[in-house]
Every structure is written in structure tokens, then in C-alpha cells.
Amino acid sequence: MEMNYTEKLKETFSGRNIKAYVHSFGCQLNVSDGEKIKGILKEIGFSFTDNPENAGIIILNTCAVRESAEERVFGIIGSMKKLKSENPDLIIGVSGCMTAQEKNLERIKKSYPQVDIVLGTSAINSLPRLIYEHIQNKRLAYDISEYADFSCSAEQVRESSFKASVPIMFGCNNFCTYCIVPYVRGRERSRNADDIINEVTELVNNGYKEIMLLGQNVNSYGKDLENGLTFPQLLRELNKIQGDFIIRFMSSHPKDATKELLDTILECDKVAKHLHLPVQSGNNNILKAMNRNYTVEKYLETVNYLRSHDSGFSLTTDIIVGFPNETDEEFQDTIKLIKQVEYDNIYSFIYSRRNGTKASTIDDKTPEESKSQRMRELLEVQREISDRHYKRFIGKTMRVLADGKSKKHEGFLTGKSNEFIIAEFKGDESLIGQFVNIRVTDSMNWAVTGEII
Ligand code: SAH
Ligand code: SF4
Ligand code: F3S
């Protein structure tokens, strides 16, 4: 029983006031895992710090989606050698998606003796045992086994008191040819609908105002469950929960964005009027080579359906620039698509080769310089689009969840509107964590400004 290790560690560490530093990289699912890890550490009796130099235990919760993310983590682990020599009792752990790759484990064993614990993505509940084993044996303790245990024994330590992430499924079955996620997160596993509904109900009762449902492709939620709800059915159930709150979700795969889903979004009052719909490319050949299983035409049908009901419906997307052998013409189709769709925001990435994926075997002839040039062009075009597109809100009323103080303007607060637009407005700090209605007075290409009404 894992419980025993928590009890043993409580005794070992009692009265020593040890602080933990937990840093999550990557997507919101990983951040959510980081909150579970914190929950387990809290049960052992650790408190938390934002400064690794004050920590007695450090956990780096890693992401493997792009090479740059991995190299950054190895850089940070390298720099922690100094902390370890100053404090030999310091425990350094690595968790998250990077641990699922044999080559990273080998590299840690070989070159980073300062690492004490390696905790696989399916092994979060083993953390107390690994800490215990490390203390007993004074060497690297690791568990990267692949059992599908995703229930967490401890209560999450959430970053926010009004915004909560709720994973509804884990893993991915899609095998987009560029992507490492299916290899590091395994196959799709959905959580039981009752567990999700109970968790959301409890969060709402505890004052949470925004619930973010998470999965690599939430649209395939429930397909692996016997008599499970579909994702639209789950949304409708959550929409019935009493209380003033907003439901968001990500990510939604365009191939599975059914009319039923779109109608659900349009009809449910608590579901945000915004859809993050990652397109990746605006060219059908590239989409095929990516194994995305939709065409530009099919994607636009989805966009048009939403826009025919709400002409300003907010959309955001992910784009990969420079997929192996993407030509300039093919890239221009992406430019054409973003002009046509008018996204409020795009998250764009230069293609990163990931060992083990299908695309990694392609002999890529596109020069790196062309890829960076395309990236610059994409960002510039999107800046103009956002600039123009955000003007549609001027003079309108927006419902915004105030989430903090503006770093740029004294006396101003920031927040996210229902449409997922950043808003800045004058207001008292006491409003943070509450919904406010603002009238939009001006817009920029990344936010709107307004006045509380
Ligand atoms: N499951 C989500 C996204 C997960 S990863 C989805 O399908 O939408 C988030 C984003 O990272 C992806 O949408 C993609 O744009 C980007 N990405 C994934 N693998 C990548 C790679 N090898 N190189 C560059 N960007 C990548
Ligand atoms: Fe990766 Fe594709 Fe799965 Fe998203 S849907 S996690 S991009 S394989
Ligand atoms: Fe990265 Fe793992 Fe998320 S690879 S994007 S942290 S699922």
C-alpha cells in the first residue's frame, strides 16, 4: 500500500519544515498532474516555495512535445548540480512526459547523477514510495511503468481558487505523424462520467467560477467506456449543475467536431462561446501527411456552421510551420486559411522532429531559414487579423472573469471574457475571482480594454 510510505515519510520529515518546489512544463494536462503531485507532497507534510533555492525537494514535471522543451529541462537539471552540492539532502525528481522515453532515462542515469527520482506519467501515486526508496538506498529510484491508474489518492493542490482544470481523459489514439504524445501518454482512457460530474459539482460549490475540461481530444471522450456518455452528453450534464460558472474545454480534434458538439456549445448557457480547434495546416496534402483525417473543406464547414449561428464566434487554433518538405505554396494555403477564418489567436510552432514518430523518418529538405521566415510571416499576418477582428467587440458588453492585476497599467485588472479574449479594465482587487460585465471601449491585437458597468 502506497499509504504506508506517506506515513513513514511523515515521521522521517516531521519537524524539519521542508519546502517543495514543483514546476510543470507543457500543456494543461501536465499542469494538472503537477497539482496532483503537490497534493501528494502536501500529505507528506511539505509546504511549497516558488524558489528552488529554498527547496528541500524539487520536482520538474516535464514536456516532450518539442525538442526545445526537452533541452530546456536538461539545462535546468544541469544548473541544479550547484544546489545539490550546497545541500546534499536536497531531493531532485523528474516527472512528466520526458520520463516515458527510454533515451531520456538513459541520459539522466549517465550524465545527471543529481537526479534522485524519476516518476513516470502513470506512476504519480508511487511518489511516496520512490522518495522512501531513494532515502533508504541513496540512489536513483524510478518507476516508469505503464499501468493505467489515473485516480489520485491525494487531494490536488490547485494553483487558483476560482479556475480549475478537470482532466476528463488521458492519452491519445490519433497518432498524428509529427506528435510524440501518443507514445508518452499511451492510449485513450476516459474517466467515469459520475466522477467528473461529482468533481465539478464540488468545485462549483467551493466557489470555482471556471471549469476547464482537459483531454488530448475531448471529442472522443467516452468511446472507451461501456455505456459511457459522449462528450456532448457530458457537457449537457455539466451544464445542469446549479451555480454561476463557465465551462471550457480543450483540445477538440476537427475530425470529431460533430454537429451535435457544435449545437451543444451554442445551446448550453454555461459552455463558453469559444472553440479551440487546432487546424495545424491549411493544405490538404500536408494534412494528409500529418494523418489528421480531415480536409480544409471539412474544417471550414465546421467554422461556417458556428459562424452562421453567431457571426463573431471566437475561434483559436494551433499551427505547425515547416512540416517536413512543406513547400512555400503549401505554406501559403495556411496563410489563406487563417485570413479566411479570422482567428482571435493562433498558437504556432516550428515543426520539431521527434524520434519514434512517423514523420521523423522523412528526409526533410526544407531549410531551417525558410521555416523561421514562414513563422515570421504567419505571426505578422495574424497580428493584422487580430487587430482588425478584435474591433468587433468595441461598444459591446462582455462578461469577464477577473483574474488578476494588470502588470502594465496601475489600478487596472485583467480577465478572460466568455469568448476567451483578454480584457483590461479599471477595478478593485476585491473583484479578482468574480464575474464582471464590462463595456468594451478600445481594442488592441491581443486584448480589449473596457469599463465595468
Ligand atoms: N492534442 C492536442 C494538442 C497537443 S500538443 C491537439 O491535437 O490539438 C499541442 C500542439 O503542439 C499541437 O496542436 C501542435 O500544433 C504542436 N505540436 C505537436 N507536436 C509537434 C511537433 N513535433 N513539432 C511542432 N509542434 C508540435
Ligand atoms: Fe498529438 Fe494528434 Fe494526439 Fe493531438 S491529436 S495529442 S496532435 S497525436
Ligand atoms: Fe507536453 Fe506531455 Fe502535454 S508532451 S504537451 S506535457 S501531454
Side-chain angles (χ1 to χ4, degrees):
M1 276 292 288
E2 302 286 353
M3 198 56 199
N4 291 337
Y5 292 103
T6 300
E7 291 303 322
K8 282 180 191 161
L9 291 173
K10 262 188 196 164
E11 278 170 39
T12 314
F13 290 108
S14 89
R16 286 169 58 187
N17 187 24
I18 289 178
K19 294 195 173 66
Y21 170 83
V22 179
H23 188 86
S24 294
F25 302 81
C27 66
Q28 299 188 55
L29 271 159
N30 219 39
V31 172
S32 172
D33 280 353
E35 294 180 340
K36 289 181 189 161
I37 290 172
K38 278 187 155 182
I40 291 173
L41 294 174
K42 189 178 169 193
E43 277 194 341
I44 297 172
F46 299 129
S47 56
F48 299 100
T49 173
D50 291 331
N51 182 355
E53 289 178 17
N54 297 336
I57 177 163
I58 291 173
I59 305 282
L60 299 174
N61 191 29
T62 62
C63 169
V65 82
R66 281 170 289 274
E67 193 182 354
S68 54
E70 289 196 350
E71 287 313 315
R72 206 168 128 220
V73 167
F74 277 116
I76 294 171
I77 303 175
S79 72
M80 282 180 173
K81 201 165 189 168
K82 189 169 154 278
L83 294 179
K84 187 87 174 186
S85 62
E86 287 163 6
N87 172 13
D89 287 338
L90 172 66
I91 299 169
I92 300 180
V94 179
S95 62
C97 295
M98 274 172 69
T99 65
Q101 286 180 295
E102 201 65 33
K103 69 165 174 69
N104 285 333
L105 185 62
E106 291 311 313
R107 187 165 163 193
I108 287 170
K109 280 185 186 163
K110 192 161 157 262
S111 314
Y112 299 89
Q114 63 269 44
V115 174
D116 304 307
I117 288 167
V118 172
L119 181 71
T121 50
S122 296
I124 289 179
N125 289 329
S126 306
L127 182 56
R129 175 172 60 80
L130 295 179
I131 297 176
Y132 185 79
E133 281 177 13
H134 167 69
I135 293 172
Q136 293 293 307
N137 309 326
K138 300 274 170 238
R139 52 179 151 79
L140 180 69
Y142 62 90
D143 184 347
I144 52 168
S145 53
E146 275 187 37
Y147 44 84
D149 178 11
F150 51 70
S151 62
C152 179
S153 47
E155 195 180 328
Q156 268 159 280
V157 175
R158 295 183 178 275
E159 305 284 324
S160 164
S161 58
F162 53 90
K163 291 202 254 189
S165 302
V166 176
I168 61 168
M169 59 189 299
F170 302 86
C172 183
N173 289 355
N174 291 315
F175 289 94
C176 303
T177 56
Y178 51 82
C179 186
I180 197 74
V181 171
Y183 302 90
V184 296
R185 287 283 174 168
R187 294 295 67 70
E188 285 173 3
R189 285 150 277 144
S190 300
R191 280 177 71 194
N192 179 300
D194 286 338
D195 291 349
I196 298 168
I197 294 165
N198 290 339
E199 186 178 341
V200 174
T201 306
E202 202 183 312
L203 286 164
V204 171
N205 289 342
N206 286 329
Y208 280 84
K209 297 282 189 287
E210 179 185 295
I211 305 296
M212 172 69 91
L213 308 174
L214 297 176
Q216 294 299 351
N217 175 14
V218 291
N219 297 342
S220 55
Y221 170 79
K223 287 183 183 163
D224 58 320
L225 299 175
E226 221 173 293
N227 303 318
L229 299 184
T230 64
F231 183 58
Q233 286 169 338
L234 177 69
L235 281 178
R236 286 190 191 271
E237 286 306 311
L238 296 174
N239 194 60
K240 287 182 197 155
I241 295 172
Q242 295 291 320
D244 188 13
F245 68 102
I246 184 169
I247 304 168
R248 300 189 186 282
F249 57 86
M250 70 191 325
S251 278
S252 210
H253 196 302
K255 79 177 162 69
D256 301 318
T258 57
K259 189 169 167 296
E260 188 195 356
L261 174 74
L262 307 179
D263 287 337
T264 305
I265 298 170
L266 292 165
E267 287 165 22
C268 290
D269 60 331
K270 291 184 174 114
V271 177
K273 301 300 173 257
H274 158 247
L275 185 60
H276 181 64
L277 198 61
V279 70
Q280 314 297 358
S281 164
N283 177 273
N284 284 338
N285 292 335
I286 296 290
L287 287 175
K288 190 140 197 257
M290 287 176 162
N291 190 34
R292 290 291 287 178
N293 282 305
Y294 54 85
T295 59
V296 173
E297 292 71 27
K298 160 87 197 318
Y299 185 92
L300 287 173
E301 262 175 43
T302 304
V303 171
N304 293 338
Y305 186 80
L306 288 168
R307 295 273 169 84
S308 69
H309 288 79
D310 173 355
S311 60
F313 194 93
S314 290
L315 293 160
T316 54
T317 201
D318 291 350
I319 286 173
I320 294 178
V321 170
F323 184 82
N325 300 328
E326 178 192 57
T327 65
D328 276 325
E329 291 72 40
E330 287 164 340
F331 169 69
Q332 285 307 322
D333 286 340
T334 300
I335 294 286
K336 193 175 142 205
L337 180 83
I338 67 165
K339 285 183 175 165
Q340 194 169 353
V341 175
E342 298 205 293
Y343 295 102
D344 282 313
N345 211 341
I346 62 173
Y347 304 87
S348 45
F349 312 96
I350 291 185
Y351 169 78
S352 172
R353 190 175 163 275
R354 306 281 60 209
N355 264 337
T357 62
K358 209 170 161 211
S360 72
T361 60
I362 305 172
D363 180 17
D364 186 7
K365 301 222 165 55
T366 320
E368 282 307 312
E369 181 41 37
S370 319
K371 298 191 184 191
S372 343
Q373 174 53 38
R374 286 174 199 170
M375 183 65 144
R376 284 194 294 273
E377 183 180 341
L378 184 71
L379 294 176
E380 204 178 297
V381 172
Q382 180 56 35
R383 214 163 13 241
E384 287 164 19
I385 294 170
S386 305
D387 213 7
R388 194 170 51 244
H389 202 44
Y390 275 32
K391 291 201 166 69
R392 74 188 186 284
F393 295 113
I394 295 179
K396 297 237 167 79
T397 304
M398 244 183 190
R399 190 149 193 265
V400 176
L401 178 58
D403 59 13
K405 286 196 280 183
S406 164
K407 291 191 183 79
K408 292 197 174 80
H409 304 109
E410 182 69 30
F412 279 72
L413 300 178
T414 61
K416 271 271 165 71
S417 79
N418 183 307
E419 305 85 355
F420 209 58
I421 304 289
I422 299 173
E424 285 208 333
F425 47 91
K426 214 175 241 161
D428 190 77
E429 266 177 63
S430 62
L431 293 172
I432 294 172
Q434 315 243 5
F435 287 112
V436 293
N437 285 316
I438 65 163
R439 200 177 62 83
V440 178
T441 50
D442 206 354
S443 73
M444 298 163 274
N445 59 28
W446 57 277
V448 299
T449 45
E451 288 159 0
I452 296 181
I453 46 177

